[in-house]
């Protein structure tokens, strides 16, 4: 009897394992889908970070080092393949390529003999946030020392509680600077990193890449780079408690008619930024563009209504009177605020975002979660329906003609 049991037990175990294997093989999996059944039923946009990265690389078609191709040859030659052709400047390629598999060891901030990079501090909140974040990304990607001018540092420190980049003109950040645009300097560092990596057997660079002290003289706007480092950007700008408290209160005041609050609601919030009063002349002279009209926003509202269940649109603007006259509806509310920092904080609290022109609008949306919709013709060099370095959904002809960006910018949360 004992012998019989000893024979039956392994057979039963083997049979059970086979049954589990068959079930796993036969049951269909939703992992290969962009939207799982649960998420599709709840109209929430989700894409895995791996799928997104592959899509971004495909859409951007970046001319970077060929380190992912021919993996079978890695054992024979562990070094990345050399650059075959000179890479185009970011100004020509329309994006900021970066070597995602490469780690550059940061130069210690207290190593005062090493060169550093600082940046123009002109402009208002949106500009200065772009400038600060651009500096930080140079250190993050290329390991260079960076510093912020005192005025910009003080302005940002009033709104955010974690401004950590050291201030220029302290004893450790002195010297005559060379003036460069951000694109020029980024290209210079990118090529230096590529050259060192090509001649190395490791994906870690320990030697400094910067050869002199540089001053970024323009207004950096590496939007695609920011998007791909959205989590990092979130860590750079933490609103001070008072600013965030007031922003939530402004939203709650707007939601009273819905008998809801920001934290207690059963509908998604899409925040909308409308910039008008100070921008018309700037748009015409600098970008040869005109103000966004009612049609852009109403079509953008429809874009989300088709994809979300009962969305509520909360509008922040420097011209609330125009917004109430042209946009306000039962599902479109205007937040009454006269403090730009609170408007940006409210913008960041949305589940999804609709932006207008400008760095303020984009940064407010970038600090939030969810998807970002912006004017297709944000840059004059782009055709309608295109956005630099971002995956796109084919826009309908009507949406293309009216300038609505039919593109969902996926954030990884």
């Amino acid at each position: 009897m004992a012998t019989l049991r000893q024979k039956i037990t392994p057979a039963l175990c083997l049979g059970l394992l086979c049954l589990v294997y068959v079930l796993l093989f036969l049951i269909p999996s939703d992992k290969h889908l962009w939207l799982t059944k649960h998420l599709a039923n709840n109209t929430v946009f989700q894409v895995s970070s791996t799928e997104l990265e592959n899509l971004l690389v495909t859409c951007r078609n970046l001319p970077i080092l060929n380190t992912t191709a021919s993996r079978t040859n890695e054992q024979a030659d562990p070094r990345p393949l050399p650059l075959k052709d000179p890479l185009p400047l970011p100004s020509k390629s329309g994006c900021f390529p970066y070597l995602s598999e490469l780690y550059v060891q940061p130069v210690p901030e207290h190593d005062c003999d090493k060169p550093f990079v600082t940046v123009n501090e002109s402009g208002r909140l949106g500009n200065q946030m772009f400038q600060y974040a651009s500096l930080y990304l140079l250190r993050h990607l290329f390991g260079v020392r960076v510093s912020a001018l005192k005025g910009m540092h003080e302005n940002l420190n009033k709104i955010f509680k974690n401004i950590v980049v050291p201030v220029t003109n302290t004893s450790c950040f002195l010297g005559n600077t060379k003036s460069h645009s951000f694109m020029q300097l980024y290209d210079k560092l990118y090529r230096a990193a590529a050259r060192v990596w090509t001649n190395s057997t490791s994906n870690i660079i320990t030697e400094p890449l910067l050869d002199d002290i540089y001053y970024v003289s323009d207004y950096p706007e590496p939007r695609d780079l920011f998007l791909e480092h959205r989590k990092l950007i979130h860590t750079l700008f933490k609103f001070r408690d008072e600013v965030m408290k007031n922003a939530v209160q402004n939203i709650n005041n707007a939601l009273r008619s819905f008998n809801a609050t920001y934290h207690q609601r059963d509908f998604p919030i899409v925040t909308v930024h409308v910039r008008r009063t100070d921008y018309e002349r700037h748009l015409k002279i600098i970008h040869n563009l005109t103000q966004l009209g009612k049609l852009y926003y109403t079509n953008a509202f429809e874009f989300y209504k088709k994809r979300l269940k009962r969305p509520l649109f909360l509008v922040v603007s420097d011209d609330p009177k125009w917004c109430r006259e042209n946009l306000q509806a039962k599902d479109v509310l205007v937040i009454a605020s006269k403090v730009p920092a609170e408007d940006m904080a409210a913008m960041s609290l949305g589940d999804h975002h609709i932006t207008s022109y400008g760095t303020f609008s984009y940064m407010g949306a970038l600090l939030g979660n969810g998807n970002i919709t912006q004017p297709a013709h944000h840059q004059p060099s782009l055709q309608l329906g295109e956005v630099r370095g971002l995956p796109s959904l084919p826009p309908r002809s009507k949406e293309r003609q009216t300038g609505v960006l039919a593109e969902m910018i996926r954030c990884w949360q």
Side-chain angles (χ1 to χ4, degrees):
M1 182 64 69
T3 304
L4 181 61
R5 287 176 181 171
Q6 291 175 352
K7 292 181 179 179
I8 292 176
T9 301
L12 288 174
C13 292
L14 182 60
L16 182 61
L17 288 175
C18 291
L19 178 61
V20 171
Y21 177 80
V22 170
L23 289 175
L24 289 175
F25 181 79
L26 293 178
I27 294 176
S29 172
D30 288 330
K31 290 184 178 180
H32 68 285
L33 300 177
W34 274 38
L35 295 177
T36 64
K37 293 177 181 178
H38 170 73
L39 293 175
N41 291 337
N42 288 276
T43 61
V44 176
F45 299 102
Q46 294 285 349
V47 182
S48 72
S49 58
T50 301
E51 289 171 329
L52 176 66
E53 289 169 2
N54 293 337
L55 185 60
L56 284 169
V57 170
T58 301
C59 293
R60 290 175 66 179
N61 192 25
L62 297 183
I64 62 174
L65 288 173
N66 186 10
T67 59
T68 56
S70 303
R71 288 294 186 185
T72 56
N73 297 327
E74 282 187 347
Q75 292 183 348
D77 184 6
R79 293 181 296 177
L81 298 176
L83 297 173
K84 295 181 179 180
D85 300 302
L87 301 183
L89 287 168
S91 58
K92 294 182 179 179
S93 65
C95 65
F96 290 83
Y98 68 99
L99 306 169
S100 59
E101 298 179 18
L102 181 66
Y103 173 76
V104 182
Q105 182 173 302
V107 177
E109 290 287 10
H110 59 270
D111 192 345
C112 304
D113 294 330
K114 293 294 189 295
F116 62 93
V117 179
T118 190
V119 67
N120 159 41
E121 63 178 352
S122 300
R124 289 183 286 184
L125 180 57
N127 293 121
Q128 292 191 348
M129 291 176 69
F130 261 72
Q131 288 147 210
Y132 181 90
S134 297
L135 266 185
Y136 197 96
L137 276 178
L138 289 181
R139 178 161 180 78
H140 177 74
L141 295 175
F142 303 113
V144 301
R145 293 205 310 146
V146 297
S147 67
L149 293 177
K150 184 178 180 181
M152 181 173 71
H153 195 282
E154 290 178 348
N155 291 340
L156 294 177
N157 195 53
K158 294 175 184 176
I159 300 169
F160 305 101
K161 54 187 177 184
N162 60 331
I163 302 303
V164 296
V165 169
V167 179
T168 309
N169 296 330
T170 61
S171 59
C172 202
F173 293 93
L174 296 172
N176 297 323
T177 61
K178 288 184 177 180
S179 181
H180 261 35
S181 72
F182 182 78
M183 285 185 176
Q184 289 174 324
L185 182 57
Y186 188 94
D187 184 81
K188 184 182 183 73
L189 290 170
Y190 178 81
R191 290 172 183 273
R195 283 194 295 269
V196 173
W197 196 21
T198 299
N199 297 316
S200 173
T201 58
S202 172
N203 65 341
I204 300 176
I205 293 179
T206 58
E207 63 182 84
L209 300 177
L210 199 64
D211 61 353
D212 211 331
I213 303 174
Y214 288 95
Y215 170 75
V216 176
S217 56
D218 62 349
Y219 296 87
E221 286 195 43
R223 294 173 182 245
D224 53 317
L225 200 60
F226 283 2
L227 183 71
E228 295 183 52
H229 292 83
R230 194 174 189 182
K231 278 188 175 180
L232 176 62
I233 302 299
H234 283 185
T235 68
L236 300 185
F237 300 109
K238 298 293 184 182
F239 288 99
R240 291 196 173 275
D241 295 342
E242 189 68 18
V243 175
M244 185 57 73
K245 176 183 175 182
N246 291 340
V248 172
Q249 186 59 52
N250 292 337
I251 293 177
N252 289 341
N253 291 340
L255 295 180
R256 282 177 182 172
S257 60
F258 283 76
N259 194 28
T261 67
Y262 175 73
H263 295 292
Q264 293 181 333
R265 54 189 168 91
D266 59 355
F267 49 83
I269 289 177
V270 180
T271 52
V272 185
H273 180 250
V274 180
R275 182 174 180 179
R276 294 189 58 80
T277 58
D278 66 333
Y279 217 46
E280 186 167 354
R281 185 171 180 272
H282 177 81
L283 281 175
K284 182 64 178 176
I285 295 175
I286 304 299
H287 300 296
N288 193 29
L289 295 172
T290 57
Q291 282 279 20
L292 294 169
K294 177 180 178 179
L295 192 58
Y296 163 73
Y297 293 103
T298 54
N299 281 338
F301 296 158
E302 290 301 317
F303 181 76
Y304 279 103
K305 287 178 183 179
K306 295 173 183 177
R307 293 161 173 82
L308 300 174
K309 184 179 180 180
R310 297 191 304 113
L312 179 68
F313 301 92
L314 291 183
V315 181
V316 296
S317 176
D318 58 350
D319 192 354
K321 182 175 182 292
W322 183 91
C323 295
R324 291 190 181 97
E325 292 174 352
N326 292 274
L327 302 180
Q328 188 156 302
K330 63 179 181 180
D331 58 353
V332 181
L333 302 178
V334 179
I335 297 177
S337 170
K338 297 182 179 180
V339 183
E342 293 176 7
D343 282 347
M344 180 175 284
M347 185 83 177
S348 73
L349 292 171
D351 299 305
H352 303 282
H353 316 275
I354 297 171
T355 68
S356 58
Y357 297 125
T359 53
F360 182 98
S361 190
Y362 187 81
M363 188 59 77
L366 194 71
L367 291 181
N369 294 307
N371 301 286
I372 302 171
T373 301
Q374 69 178 27
H377 49 298
H378 190 279
Q379 299 292 340
S381 61
L382 299 177
Q383 299 176 4
L384 294 181
E386 295 180 344
V387 165
R388 180 176 50 194
L390 304 175
S392 64
L393 299 174
R396 295 188 178 96
S397 58
K398 182 178 180 182
E399 291 173 328
R400 180 183 291 270
Q401 292 166 4
T402 54
V404 171
L405 174 67
E407 311 209 8
M408 302 308 292
I409 304 174
R410 167 70 184 131
C411 69
W412 40 106
Q413 304 176 33

